[in-house]
Amino acid sequence: MKEIKLSDGRIAVIKDGKGKDLFWAQRNATDSSEIIKLLIVRLTEIDGKPITEDDLDEMPIADVMLLIGEFSKEFSFLSQEKQS
């Protein structure tokens, strides 16, 4: 579990993922670039509440990039997959 402070002071928590979370994201993604977005939605809570795709879409880009960066560090296979 990882905590991240967002630009507005709220705390985002990235929960530890499991295989079922990855498989869910793969099943629901319309293309491979959407997998990380769905994992962020599935595994992130802000101030103790789950987020939606709409929440993520409406976040400041700096916060979205921060979350993507953290996911890329935590789940390095996702960034390697893009390079293949």
Side-chain angles (χ1 to χ4, degrees), residues 3 11 15 24 26-27 32-34 44 55 71 74-76 79 82-84:
E3 288 190 3
I11 301 297
K15 299 180 287 185
W24 173 86
Q26 289 174 327
R27 272 193 315 275
S32 62
S33 66
E34 198 175 32
T44 303
D55 293 333
F71 268 80
E74 292 292 316
F75 307 106
S76 60
S79 57
K82 282 185 161 182
Q83 294 172 2
S84 301

Side-chain angles (χ1 to χ4, degrees), residues 8-35:
D8 61 3
R10 295 182 301 162
I11 301 297
V13 174
I14 298 173
K15 299 180 287 185
D16 296 329
K18 299 194 183 287
K20 64 184 175 183
D21 301 310
L22 175 61
F23 301 138
W24 173 86
Q26 289 174 327
R27 272 193 315 275
N28 288 286
T30 55
D31 61 58
S32 62
S33 66
E34 198 175 32
I35 292 172

Side-chain angles (χ1 to χ4, degrees), residues 54-73:
D54 288 337
D55 293 333
L56 189 60
D57 289 343
E58 294 300 321
M59 288 176 79
I61 196 167
D63 289 338
V64 174
M65 295 301 292
L66 185 61
L67 289 171
I68 289 171
E70 288 301 323
F71 268 80
S72 294
K73 281 190 248 175

